[in-house]
Amino acid sequence: MITPSQIIQYIAKHYQVNPAYLWAKFPEYGVFRHLNSGKWFAILMNIPGNKIGLSHTETIWIINVKAQPEMIGALRMIKGVYPAYHMNKEHWMSLHLAEISPSLLWECIQNSFSLTQQKKR
Protein backbone atom coordinates (compact mmCIF):
# COMPACT_ATOMS: atom_id res chain seq x y z
CA MET A 1 0.00 0.00 0.00
CA ILE A 2 1.16 3.48 -0.81
CA THR A 3 1.11 5.57 2.36
CA PRO A 4 -0.13 9.14 2.67
CA SER A 5 3.40 10.27 3.54
CA GLN A 6 4.74 8.67 0.33
CA ILE A 7 2.17 10.61 -1.69
CA ILE A 8 3.05 13.85 0.07
CA GLN A 9 6.77 13.25 -0.59
CA TYR A 10 6.14 12.30 -4.23
CA ILE A 11 4.06 15.40 -4.95
CA ALA A 12 6.57 17.65 -3.17
CA LYS A 13 9.43 16.18 -5.21
CA HIS A 14 7.71 16.16 -8.62
CA TYR A 15 5.49 19.25 -8.42
CA GLN A 16 7.06 21.32 -5.61
CA VAL A 17 3.68 21.40 -3.81
CA ASN A 18 2.94 20.69 -0.16
CA PRO A 19 -0.56 19.92 1.10
CA ALA A 20 -2.77 22.63 2.55
CA TYR A 21 -4.87 21.56 5.51
CA LEU A 22 -8.00 23.66 5.13
CA TRP A 23 -10.51 22.25 7.61
CA ALA A 24 -10.26 22.17 11.40
CA LYS A 25 -12.91 19.43 11.44
CA PHE A 26 -10.79 17.28 9.09
CA PRO A 27 -7.17 18.06 10.04
CA GLU A 28 -5.68 15.20 8.00
CA TYR A 29 -7.34 16.17 4.69
CA GLY A 30 -4.55 17.57 2.52
CA VAL A 31 -5.35 19.61 -0.57
CA PHE A 32 -2.73 19.91 -3.33
CA ARG A 33 -2.97 23.07 -5.43
CA HIS A 34 -1.08 24.62 -8.30
CA LEU A 35 1.26 27.30 -7.03
CA ASN A 36 0.39 29.81 -9.76
CA SER A 37 -3.40 29.47 -9.85
CA GLY A 38 -4.41 27.83 -6.60
CA LYS A 39 -6.47 25.24 -8.55
CA TRP A 40 -6.76 21.87 -6.84
CA PHE A 41 -5.28 18.82 -8.53
CA ALA A 42 -5.62 16.32 -5.66
CA ILE A 43 -7.01 15.90 -2.18
CA LEU A 44 -5.77 13.24 0.23
CA MET A 45 -8.34 12.07 2.81
CA ASN A 46 -9.05 9.39 5.37
CA ILE A 47 -12.74 8.45 5.26
CA PRO A 48 -15.06 5.60 6.28
CA GLY A 49 -15.01 2.96 3.55
CA ASN A 50 -18.78 3.11 3.05
CA LYS A 51 -18.41 6.69 1.75
CA ILE A 52 -17.08 5.27 -1.55
CA GLY A 53 -19.35 2.23 -1.62
CA LEU A 54 -17.38 -0.33 0.40
CA SER A 55 -19.32 -2.56 2.78
CA HIS A 56 -17.56 -1.36 5.94
CA THR A 57 -17.05 1.83 7.93
CA GLU A 58 -13.37 1.29 8.75
CA THR A 59 -11.23 4.32 7.93
CA ILE A 60 -9.38 4.13 4.63
CA TRP A 61 -7.06 6.51 2.79
CA ILE A 62 -8.07 7.83 -0.61
CA ILE A 63 -6.85 10.50 -2.97
CA ASN A 64 -9.24 12.32 -5.27
CA VAL A 65 -7.85 13.25 -8.67
CA LYS A 66 -9.30 14.78 -11.80
CA ALA A 67 -9.60 12.73 -15.00
CA GLN A 68 -11.06 13.15 -18.46
CA PRO A 69 -14.79 12.34 -18.28
CA GLU A 70 -14.49 9.93 -21.20
CA MET A 71 -11.84 7.93 -19.29
CA ILE A 72 -13.52 7.69 -15.89
CA GLY A 73 -15.85 4.82 -16.87
CA ALA A 74 -12.97 2.62 -18.01
CA LEU A 75 -10.80 3.57 -15.05
CA ARG A 76 -13.63 2.72 -12.63
CA MET A 77 -13.41 -0.90 -13.80
CA ILE A 78 -9.92 -1.12 -12.24
CA LYS A 79 -9.58 -2.31 -8.65
CA GLY A 80 -9.04 0.67 -6.35
CA VAL A 81 -10.79 3.27 -8.53
CA TYR A 82 -14.12 4.59 -7.21
CA PRO A 83 -16.58 7.41 -7.84
CA ALA A 84 -15.19 10.60 -6.35
CA TYR A 85 -15.98 11.17 -2.71
CA HIS A 86 -17.47 14.63 -2.19
CA MET A 87 -16.44 15.89 -5.64
CA ASN A 88 -17.99 16.05 -9.12
CA LYS A 89 -18.15 12.39 -10.17
CA GLU A 90 -18.07 13.28 -13.87
CA HIS A 91 -14.60 14.85 -13.59
CA TRP A 92 -13.07 13.38 -10.42
CA MET A 93 -12.45 9.91 -9.01
CA SER A 94 -11.25 8.45 -5.72
CA LEU A 95 -8.26 6.13 -5.60
CA HIS A 96 -8.15 3.76 -2.61
CA LEU A 97 -4.52 3.67 -1.49
CA ALA A 98 -4.68 0.08 -0.19
CA GLU A 99 -5.96 -1.21 -3.54
CA ILE A 100 -4.49 0.95 -6.31
CA SER A 101 -1.26 0.02 -8.07
CA PRO A 102 1.56 2.53 -7.54
CA SER A 103 2.11 3.02 -11.27
CA LEU A 104 -1.56 3.85 -11.87
CA LEU A 105 -1.60 6.16 -8.86
CA TRP A 106 1.38 8.19 -10.09
CA GLU A 107 -0.05 8.30 -13.62
CA CYS A 108 -3.42 9.57 -12.33
CA ILE A 109 -1.75 12.27 -10.21
CA GLN A 110 0.26 13.42 -13.25
CA ASN A 111 -2.87 13.46 -15.40
CA SER A 112 -4.81 15.43 -12.78
CA PHE A 113 -1.96 17.93 -12.46
CA SER A 114 -1.92 18.42 -16.24
CA LEU A 115 -5.71 18.71 -16.55
CA THR A 116 -5.94 21.39 -13.87
CA GLN A 117 -2.96 23.43 -15.06
CA GLN A 118 -3.86 26.85 -16.42
CA LYS A 119 -3.31 27.11 -20.12
CA LYS A 120 -0.95 29.85 -21.24
CA ARG A 121 -2.60 32.35 -23.56
Side-chain angles (χ1 to χ4, degrees):
M1 176 179 123
I2 301 293
T3 65
S5 62
Q6 287 173 310
I7 290 175
I8 292 167
Q9 291 170 6
Y10 178 90
I11 291 174
K13 178 181 176 183
H14 290 87
Y15 308 104
Q16 293 71 52
V17 174
N18 290 309
Y21 298 97
L22 305 177
W23 304 282
K25 185 176 178 182
F26 302 105
E28 295 182 313
Y29 285 22
V31 174
F32 298 91
R33 301 187 269 198
H34 288 274
L35 297 175
N36 60 345
S37 69
K39 285 184 79 170
W40 296 18
F41 65 91
I43 178 170
L44 184 63
M45 301 176 274
N46 57 346
I47 63 168
N50 64 340
K51 297 291 185 181
I52 60 167
L54 300 178
S55 61
H56 62 79
T57 57
E58 295 170 36
T59 300
I60 62 168
W61 281 97
I62 64 167
I63 187 166
N64 280 358
V65 292
K66 192 166 189 175
Q68 294 94 334
E70 62 273 12
M71 296 299 297
I72 288 181
L75 288 166
R76 291 244 345 265
M77 299 189 77
I78 299 171
K79 182 176 175 64
V81 180
Y82 294 89
Y85 170 68
H86 218 277
M87 300 285 279
N88 180 316
K89 290 167 182 41
E90 183 181 348
H91 298 279
W92 292 80
M93 59 189 178
S94 292
L95 307 177
H96 183 220
L97 301 191
E99 296 179 348
I100 197 80
S101 74
S103 60
L104 181 58
L105 173 67
W106 307 137
E107 182 180 332
C108 288
I109 290 171
Q110 171 60 50
N111 187 48
S112 185
F113 184 86
S114 296
L115 284 172
T116 54
Q117 209 164 22
Q118 276 192 318
K119 308 285 187 259
K120 294 186 179 182
R121 295 174 189 207

